Amino acid sequence: MSAKKAKKQKISRKERKEKKDAERELRPIRPPMRGWIGRGRGQSVYVQQADEWRGTTVQVCGMWPYAIGTGTPMVGVPLGRHIHTGATLCCDPISWFQRAKLISNPSTFVLGKPGLGKSTIVRRMATGLAGYGVMPLVLGDLKPDYVDLIEAMGGQIITLGRGRGYLNVLDPGEATEAAAQLREAGHEKEAMQVMADAHGRRQTMVSALLTILRAAPPTDREETIIDRSLKWLDEHHDGVPVLGDLLRVIQEGPEEVRAVALDRGSDERYKAITESLEASLIGLTGGGRLGETFSRQTTNPMRRDAPVVYDVSAIDDSEMDLQAATLLACWSAGFGTVNVANALADAGLEPRRHYFVVLDELWRALRAGRGMVDRVDALTRLNRQRGVGMAMISHTMSDLLALPTEEDRMKARGFVERSGMVICGGLPAAEMPQLTAAVPFSEAEQELLIGWQDPPAWDPSTGREAEPPGRGKFLVKVGGRPGIPVDVQLTSIEKSINDTNRLWHEQSRVGRRAARSAQEVDA
């Protein structure tokens, strides 16, 4: 190549470089993705998250034509949004059992420290299921947390307590009327089954009341005497008997009762055999620790065609025996009504109804006395066969395991193990070994639950506590599957119904006077 040609190429390259430099100077100056590099130049080490937009497949099909799942089930009552992805979670034990086939038992067990929203998430399920045609049954509301909800649904509110209402444990409820309907329709066998079920429930409730009163279950002979006395009342008593009538039968001692008591024809022997049972029944009918709540005719019979709540909030927390006995009586009456509805539906005399049964404050009944776990277990074990969904609520696993015998503790843990789903709110770290023994939780899930039970922060500017970090947050577990963390979000109407602090909204007159005096002093 000649020197002249090489010089010409060198000049052209120089011209092109100068031209590019000139064009670069004319361009707008923009920083790189992380800012200008260098000391004091503002480099960012944090990559900002890209904006995220959501839309239906109809709206964004041209931009993203692939249909994918949200990662959370969309069958059932909408509870809230997934804490990490923001996807909507729909969840309730009946829908996941009946429609989605995700669980094998239509029940849920809810655990969490007080004040974090256990009752709120169950109320949301009850509200949504009512829209699907499922009847909520709150068999014992101690706070009350569900009265306003059932009242808003147009349901039945049954108030119990000393001097406020009575629940006759010997009342067969709607079983007698249902048996008559079945006989008229030619279903004699089904009618006999309905009456036999009512008889068994009444005997179980009398034995449960004696267990709470004595802190020990009745003997086999005493249960046989109770059974035969109830049958004698059914055959000879006009109307609905009460506990006083049962006491009178045992005191008089008909031949059928004396035969099972094995009195050998001796009045003295019969009185000695029935003395303890007679004394306990006197305690149930004449006041005593359990009052007269169960010894009079039922003031407000339960209906089977509407949502129902038993309001037992008038019973003071110090009367734990009365609370436990009332809860058991409510559960027995509720499941008896469900059995009657199922019998009539099986015979084609009524439409099929499904119920969502709420058993709140489960630990109170379990601690009432020896043998109470068996009573609760008998009521809750056959919920799938009875066509009901169930929500059992307690604070911690320690509440279930704080029972005197190992046998009772194992049965109580079985309530959690048999549940189709377990929903956990904030729990202390000490609960994790007991919880993971019943349901497997990963370390990350355990840390999440422990973090949710932390106390709220203190806001110095307002002088008030912030909202607890775990309020409304729950982890839904189904077997060994990864848990679904959800933030329950309430509508404005639900917030007004779910407000359990209404009594604290208005400042007391003494408090206002004290605050006014303090302001005058400061002035």
Side-chain angles (χ1 to χ4, degrees):
M1 180 184 297
S2 62
K4 183 177 181 181
K5 189 174 181 180
K7 183 178 181 181
K8 185 177 180 181
Q9 290 180 352
K10 185 175 182 181
I11 293 174
S12 62
R13 286 196 299 270
K14 182 177 180 183
E15 291 176 350
R16 286 197 300 271
K17 183 175 181 302
E18 291 176 352
K19 184 178 180 180
K20 290 180 179 180
D21 292 341
E23 292 177 352
R24 190 180 295 111
E25 292 178 358
L26 294 176
R27 294 176 186 170
I29 301 175
R30 296 180 179 177
M33 289 180 60
R34 299 192 179 186
W36 298 111
I37 301 176
R39 184 177 181 182
R41 304 294 292 276
Q43 180 183 8
S44 174
V45 297
Y46 177 75
V47 179
Q48 298 293 331
Q49 183 179 3
D51 293 334
E52 181 179 349
W53 302 89
R54 297 183 58 157
T56 65
T57 54
V58 175
Q59 294 170 322
V60 297
C61 58
M63 299 176 59
W64 187 259
Y66 306 106
I68 61 173
T70 61
T72 56
M74 295 292 288
V75 179
V77 178
L79 290 187
R81 294 195 177 275
H82 194 291
I83 292 178
H84 302 316
T85 66
T88 301
L89 171 65
C90 297
C91 171
D92 70 80
I94 294 180
S95 298
W96 278 24
F97 171 77
Q98 185 180 32
R99 295 161 53 195
K101 311 296 183 185
L102 293 174
I103 57 179
S104 59
N105 189 0
S107 63
T108 179
F109 206 105
V110 184
L111 291 166
K113 292 185 66 176
L116 298 183
K118 298 188 301 298
S119 300
T120 299
I121 192 173
V122 175
R123 281 194 297 264
R124 164 57 70 86
M125 289 183 182
T127 304
L129 286 172
Y132 293 144
V134 179
M135 298 287 184
L137 299 181
V138 184
L139 305 180
D141 190 358
L142 288 163
K143 294 184 179 178
D145 285 339
Y146 304 88
V147 171
D148 291 342
L149 174 64
I150 300 301
E151 184 178 11
M153 292 181 181
Q156 181 185 16
I157 301 173
I158 303 174
T159 303
L160 298 177
R162 294 184 184 274
R164 292 172 172 82
Y166 302 96
L167 180 59
N168 181 13
V169 294
L170 300 188
D171 188 352
E174 297 179 320
T176 304
E177 179 185 350
Q181 295 181 26
L182 290 169
R183 289 191 179 96
E184 291 178 1
H187 300 282
E188 183 64 29
K189 179 180 178 181
E190 289 76 5
M192 293 177 60
Q193 292 175 351
V194 168
M195 294 307 299
D197 176 75
H199 174 79
R201 285 191 301 103
R202 292 187 296 168
Q203 180 184 357
T204 299
M205 270 312 306
V206 174
S207 299
L209 293 179
L210 294 177
T211 300
I212 295 174
L213 191 66
R214 300 174 173 181
T219 64
D220 296 341
R221 178 181 293 185
E222 289 176 333
E223 290 197 348
T224 305
I225 294 174
I226 293 171
D227 173 73
R228 190 56 57 91
S229 300
L230 289 174
K231 291 180 179 178
W232 192 93
L233 282 172
D234 292 338
E235 296 173 359
H236 299 87
H237 184 79
D238 293 331
V240 179
V242 295
L243 285 176
D245 297 320
L246 178 64
L247 173 62
R248 177 178 52 81
V249 171
I250 294 176
Q251 289 174 335
E252 294 177 355
E255 289 299 327
E256 295 90 334
V257 178
R258 288 176 176 270
V260 297
L262 300 177
D263 66 337
R264 311 300 185 189
S266 172
D267 289 340
E268 290 76 12
R269 178 179 172 84
Y270 177 77
K271 291 179 180 179
I273 292 173
T274 60
E275 181 179 3
S276 178
L277 179 59
E278 183 180 345
S280 298
L281 289 175
I282 290 175
L284 291 175
T285 58
R289 217 165 58 241
L290 300 184
E292 300 178 349
T293 305
F294 313 105
S295 61
R296 299 187 183 183
Q297 294 293 350
T298 301
T299 53
N300 191 1
M302 179 180 174
R303 296 166 51 189
R304 64 177 181 273
D305 59 349
V308 178
V309 56
Y310 280 94
D311 182 9
V312 296
S313 58
I315 303 175
D316 192 79
D317 289 342
S318 61
E319 298 182 296
M320 294 191 63
D321 288 345
L322 181 57
Q323 279 187 344
T326 306
L327 286 176
L328 275 178
C330 295
W331 298 350
S332 178
F335 280 105
T337 302
V338 170
N339 289 338
V340 168
N342 288 335
L344 293 174
D346 292 339
L349 301 179
E350 283 189 359
R352 176 70 63 186
R353 294 186 178 95
H354 290 107
Y355 298 90
F356 181 56
V357 178
V358 178
L359 305 181
D360 207 343
E361 301 292 338
L362 186 65
W363 61 275
R364 294 182 186 269
L366 298 182
R367 293 186 183 181
R370 187 162 56 91
M372 295 306 297
V373 177
D374 294 327
R375 308 293 181 189
V376 177
D377 187 48
L379 289 174
T380 60
R381 182 174 288 273
L382 299 177
N383 60 302
R384 181 163 55 91
Q385 288 80 359
R386 288 169 173 163
V388 301
M390 188 180 301
M392 294 173 281
I393 307 173
S394 189
H395 293 153
T396 61
M397 289 293 294
S398 298
D399 292 333
L400 301 179
L401 301 180
L403 298 172
T405 65
E406 180 63 24
E407 181 181 2
D408 285 348
R409 289 192 289 269
M410 294 296 292
K411 292 177 181 178
R413 193 172 71 177
F415 297 155
V416 181
E417 296 173 343
R418 288 198 308 270
S419 297
M421 67 177 71
V422 178
I423 301 177
C424 295
L427 291 169
E431 288 293 315
M432 293 302 117
Q434 300 171 352
L435 181 61
T436 53
V439 181
F441 281 79
S442 67
E443 292 185 2
E445 291 171 345
Q446 295 179 43
E447 293 176 359
L448 191 65
L449 297 179
I450 295 172
W452 286 344
Q453 62 95 39
D454 290 340
W458 179 266
D459 189 350
S461 60
T462 61
R464 298 180 179 179
E465 287 184 346
E467 185 173 325
R471 177 170 294 172
K473 296 180 175 62
F474 294 92
L475 188 68
V476 180
K477 286 285 291 185
V478 177
R481 299 175 183 172
I484 305 174
V486 60
D487 185 7
V488 178
Q489 301 174 356
L490 303 178
T491 63
S492 58
I493 297 177
E494 284 180 304
K495 290 180 180 179
S496 62
I497 294 177
N498 291 342
D499 187 3
T500 57
N501 295 323
R502 285 192 301 272
L503 296 179
W504 295 98
H505 290 177
E506 183 181 356
Q507 189 176 11
S508 65
R509 289 176 293 178
V510 176
R512 286 202 302 267
R513 187 160 53 247
R516 193 182 304 114
S517 301
Q519 292 176 357
E520 293 174 356
V521 171
D522 293 339

